[in-house]
Amino acid sequence: MAQVDSNKGGGDFISNLGRIYTLYTGGFFAFVVVLAILEQMGVPNKFIGYGFVFLTIAVYAIIGIISRTAEVGEYYVAGRRVPAFYNGMATGADWMSGASFVGMAGTLFLLGYDGLAFVLGWTGGYVLVAILIAPFLRKFGAFTVPDFFAERFGGNFARFLAVIVLVCCSFTYVTAQIYATGIIASRFLGMDFTVAVYVGLLGILLCSMLGGMKAVTWTQVAQYIVLIVAYLLPVVVLSTQKYGIPIPQLTYGQALQDITALEQSMVSSGLADAATLKPHIKPFVTYDPLNFFALIFCLMVGTASLPHILMRYFTTPSVREARKSVAWSLFFIFLLYFTAPAYAAFAKLEVYSDVVGRDLDSIREWLFNYGAIGLIKVCGVDAVNLEAVKAACSNIAGHPGVLRLQDLTINPDVIVLSTPEIAGMPYVIAGLVAAGGLAAALSTADGLLLAIANALSHDIYYKMIDRNAPTFRRLLVARILLVIVAVCAAYTASTKPADILSMVAWAFSLAAAGIFPALVLGIWWKRATTTGAVLGMIFGFGICLYYLVGTRYFAPGFYEMWSFLSNATPDQIAKFAQLQAACASDAAQCAAFDKHAQSIANWWGVRNISCALFGLPIGFLTIWIVSLFTPAPSQRIQDMVDATRQASGEAIIRDKDALNLPH
């Protein structure tokens, strides 16, 4: 892959994309075969893991370095030359984050039916992207989402608010991706989690820092190929082994029947507690109907609001290509999301049939590998070795000496990574899955960091501070900010703040409440005014952030202030008072007090993961009401809105340094 510096070189490169990525895919399969042969020859597993992790990161880094650029248009929007098919693949990689790859099947494993809310919400959001947003932003011709806000709502204050929302939701999201890289690297490279986080950060920066969107795009296409192969292979093997059909989506139903039978068998034999067992196919065990559908709604709208996804559609050559790109994005995302429920089912089937019920002396080594990094507990302690497990279980009265379901606590973020080892597959498949998870986390982290750095460098520095900054300085500022934001996110991730999927869901609600109302009304309602949009963003985002932070980090005070809106039962209220008194006299009881407060600190029972359920309608109502009571936008703005919704014609705005780009 040669560096592309101009439109002429870009044309040669674009015309050869099929050949380039076909060779890349063939080389990747050959690499996997070589490692499989080496495993059979007795090469230690850790070296197989090193090979997968380091070689794949090296390939991504080489693509990123080769794609370096000194042109603003290339750095911000990849020269607007990315074909729909490849942009769809890159968007799929951008979208299939560590949360999707590492956390999705794990959440379905843990929650069963209720976990489908994530699949439905995230997939359905692309319908909103295709219908309401993507083609029109491409016609607008901006470099960033805040660019649209500034032009549509006439000024830098709207731009500044959009940057604040963008940074808040994207930083939360990127922290989760770097956390995922830390989990993978710490397990397969045998290093401390904190060190692993910064090793993953180095890979992220190599992919994105020099080439911006251009480098990230072609790296993400390569990463998608790795992650989808890595995700599909283990579950295809399991489906073939158990039912003789290599299509897990078709054997998924049989797996569910077998899981239900094993659940009943474990309860009857004492290997599971009927009071704590969550039947895999029973709905509304974790989420009641209100929270189940609220989560779907917030994830759908959040999908259509995340800047790092929307900016991908700035890179296509035309509005038509942007529409086609959304369709390809949905197809490539569908491949993983349609498989995730089956992956969770087969993983649970393996755990129920091969892990639960084993004598403690015969627990397999994979369990200790993850226990050593704090992701699996047995009998309440980290499963670091057999001695620790036996000592902990011996302290439980009447323990039978075999591993029961209630003894086992598996962090959902390790389900995908550990399934090949649980099923006894060759280690090369486990290494491949690790490489896929790393590709997923790196690709999304690249896009998110780029979205944050571009917003700060383009929208804040260039558009608001120094309008005369030369290209060199603009790109230098962008790269410096990229590194600063990345280091801050890595530090936050190293503290292990929460499980991956919860952090991601927060980002979706924040984006939905802060961006979606003004973005949609800015495109579809000419009467939307600057004052209305600004107040709508402030109130919508503010109420969502207040609810999220209050219920998560200040739950006791939040509950006391809003107890008349909580759905707490009399027993829960009494327990709150009891734990509050205990906390006042014994600091050791405060953790239990705070945990209980989080379970009842809410408005009408809505969980904070769906805080956009309050911020979104407030944002829409504020924009609508204020716009009706303030002067209408100028005729120029209204004509611009009309032109934005027309597929033909020139882009609405152009950057002075990107006038040579095709539109």
Side-chain angles (χ1 to χ4, degrees):
M1 187 183 299
Q3 183 179 347
V4 183
D5 296 320
S6 64
N7 288 342
K8 180 180 177 181
D12 294 339
F13 173 69
I14 297 298
S15 63
N16 286 307
L17 279 173
R19 180 183 304 172
I20 292 169
Y21 282 107
T22 298
L23 290 173
Y24 165 81
T25 304
F28 174 67
F29 278 111
F31 169 65
V32 174
V33 171
V34 169
L35 288 183
I37 294 172
L38 291 175
E39 181 183 2
Q40 296 303 313
M41 293 173 60
V43 173
N45 287 347
K46 68 176 183 178
F47 293 115
I48 302 294
Y50 291 163
F52 269 116
V53 173
F54 285 125
L55 231 65
T56 50
I57 289 180
V59 170
Y60 307 148
I62 289 170
I63 295 173
I65 293 169
I66 290 175
S67 301
R68 65 191 182 276
T69 183
E71 298 179 14
V72 170
E74 295 278 357
Y75 191 89
Y76 286 123
V77 291
R80 301 198 200 278
R81 287 192 290 266
V82 183
F85 178 82
Y86 293 98
N87 196 55
M89 194 177 288
T91 305
D94 209 345
W95 179 250
M96 281 189 252
S97 61
S100 293
F101 191 99
V102 177
M104 171 68 77
T107 297
L108 288 163
F109 177 96
L110 183 68
L111 303 183
Y113 180 98
D114 291 355
L116 292 175
F118 292 93
V119 178
L120 295 172
W122 281 340
T123 308
Y126 272 84
V127 178
L128 299 181
V129 173
I131 295 173
L132 298 177
I133 298 172
F136 312 106
L137 284 182
R138 176 59 189 88
K139 174 63 184 296
F140 200 77
F143 272 179
T144 64
V145 173
D147 255 350
F148 170 82
F149 280 87
E151 190 71 17
R152 171 61 178 86
F153 297 115
N156 282 330
F157 191 53
R159 181 196 299 275
F160 181 68
L161 289 176
V163 170
I164 290 176
V165 177
L166 183 155
V167 170
C168 287
C169 63
S170 296
F171 188 83
T172 304
Y173 204 168
V174 77
T175 299
Q177 306 319 309
I178 298 177
Y179 177 81
T181 65
I183 289 177
I184 295 167
S186 62
R187 163 63 185 93
F188 288 90
L189 300 182
M191 58 179 62
D192 178 75
F193 175 80
T194 302
V195 176
V197 162
Y198 288 98
V199 170
L201 176 67
L202 180 62
I204 293 166
L205 292 176
L206 286 173
C207 295
S208 59
M209 188 171 69
L210 296 178
M213 179 60 82
K214 177 185 169 186
V216 165
T217 296
W218 305 125
T219 303
Q220 286 175 337
V221 174
Q223 288 166 332
Y224 179 84
I225 294 168
V226 173
L227 72 87
I228 198 63
V229 171
Y231 200 84
L232 292 176
L233 184 59
V235 72
V236 167
V237 170
L238 282 172
S239 178
T240 305
Q241 286 178 344
K242 290 190 173 297
Y243 304 113
I245 301 174
I247 306 175
Q249 295 85 357
L250 296 182
T251 56
Y252 173 48
Q254 183 61 50
L256 292 179
Q257 292 181 18
D258 291 347
I259 288 172
T260 301
L262 283 170
E263 287 171 345
Q264 296 170 352
S265 173
M266 289 189 299
V267 170
S268 62
S269 61
L271 292 175
D273 183 356
T276 58
L277 176 67
K278 294 181 180 179
H280 193 77
I281 61 173
K282 184 178 180 181
F284 310 132
V285 175
T286 302
Y287 298 126
D288 57 33
L290 169 64
N291 280 287
F292 182 80
F293 291 106
L295 181 57
I296 292 174
F297 175 73
C298 291
L299 293 176
M300 284 183 65
V301 178
T303 298
S305 311
L306 283 177
H308 80 288
I309 294 297
L310 297 179
M311 66 190 281
R312 283 242 50 96
Y313 301 107
F314 298 156
T315 66
T316 58
S318 65
V319 174
R320 177 181 174 83
E321 287 289 295
R323 290 184 185 274
K324 290 168 62 178
S325 180
V326 178
W328 280 116
S329 303
L330 190 54
F331 169 74
F332 288 122
I333 292 164
F334 165 82
L335 290 179
L336 187 142
Y337 279 12
F338 191 51
T339 307
Y343 204 126
F346 279 101
K348 182 168 279 191
L349 194 58
E350 285 297 317
V351 170
Y352 284 2
S353 59
D354 189 60
V355 178
V356 175
R358 274 183 176 264
D359 290 336
L360 296 181
D361 288 320
S362 63
I363 291 177
R364 289 166 52 193
E365 186 66 25
W366 70 267
L367 192 143
F368 302 128
N369 292 335
Y370 290 98
I373 55 177
L375 297 175
I376 292 181
K377 296 181 183 293
V378 174
C379 295
V381 301
D382 290 338
V384 294
N385 52 49
L386 181 60
E387 290 72 23
V389 167
K390 293 178 71 173
C393 293
S394 65
N395 292 328
I396 299 176
H399 194 279
V402 299
L403 187 61
R404 303 171 301 179
L405 184 62
Q406 58 265 40
D407 298 328
L408 184 64
T409 303
I410 302 179
N411 187 309
D413 296 335
V414 305
I415 291 299
V416 168
L417 299 176
S418 64
T419 292
E421 296 173 88
I422 297 173
M425 296 181 193
Y427 186 80
V428 70
I429 297 181
L432 175 62
V433 171
L438 201 59
L442 291 176
S443 61
T444 304
D446 285 333
L448 288 162
L449 287 174
L450 200 61
I452 297 172
N454 286 359
L456 295 175
S457 64
H458 176 74
D459 292 294
I460 300 296
Y461 174 71
Y462 177 60
K463 292 291 188 178
M464 298 175 63
I465 297 175
D466 187 0
R467 290 288 310 214
N468 297 313
T471 297
F472 172 78
R473 193 187 305 159
R474 289 176 64 184
L475 296 183
L476 178 63
V477 169
R479 286 162 177 154
I480 292 173
L481 288 170
L482 186 72
V483 173
I484 292 172
V485 172
V487 171
C488 291
Y491 172 76
T492 306
S494 69
T495 64
K496 300 183 180 180
D499 72 278
I500 301 179
L501 218 58
S502 291
M503 295 179 68
V504 170
W506 297 347
F508 279 77
S509 276
L510 291 173
I515 290 178
F516 190 78
L519 184 60
V520 169
L521 292 179
I523 293 172
W524 292 99
W525 190 36
K526 293 189 292 185
R527 189 64 177 77
T529 66
T530 300
T531 306
V534 166
L535 292 178
M537 293 173 70
I538 292 173
F539 291 156
F541 180 73
I543 199 72
C544 185
L545 186 64
Y546 170 74
Y547 190 75
L548 172 61
V549 172
T551 56
R552 176 66 177 81
Y553 298 105
F554 303 97
F558 187 94
Y559 169 73
E560 291 183 323
M561 179 179 291
W562 299 103
S563 59
F564 62 96
L565 294 181
S566 174
N567 66 341
T569 64
D571 288 343
Q572 290 174 322
I573 295 172
K575 185 176 180 181
F576 178 86
Q578 178 184 354
L579 290 173
Q580 186 177 37
C583 175
S585 59
D586 182 5
Q589 300 296 318
C590 290
F593 171 54
D594 187 66
K595 183 177 180 179
H596 177 68
Q598 287 184 42
S599 68
I600 60 173
N602 55 58
W603 294 338
W604 301 289
V606 175
R607 298 192 180 193
N608 59 31
I609 201 173
S610 302
C611 58
L613 202 63
F614 302 112
L616 198 63
I618 287 174
F620 272 113
L621 283 172
T622 301
I623 297 173
W624 178 58
I625 293 171
V626 173
S627 294
L628 292 178
F629 285 92
T630 50
S634 67
Q635 191 59 45
R636 183 188 72 83
I637 295 294
Q638 296 191 45
D639 291 342
M640 181 180 70
V641 174
D642 283 333
T644 300
R645 297 200 297 267
Q646 296 174 6
S648 60
E650 294 292 318
I652 306 300
I653 63 172
R654 296 184 179 209
D655 187 272
K656 68 179 183 180
D657 293 317
L659 291 176
N660 63 326
L661 298 179
H663 290 273

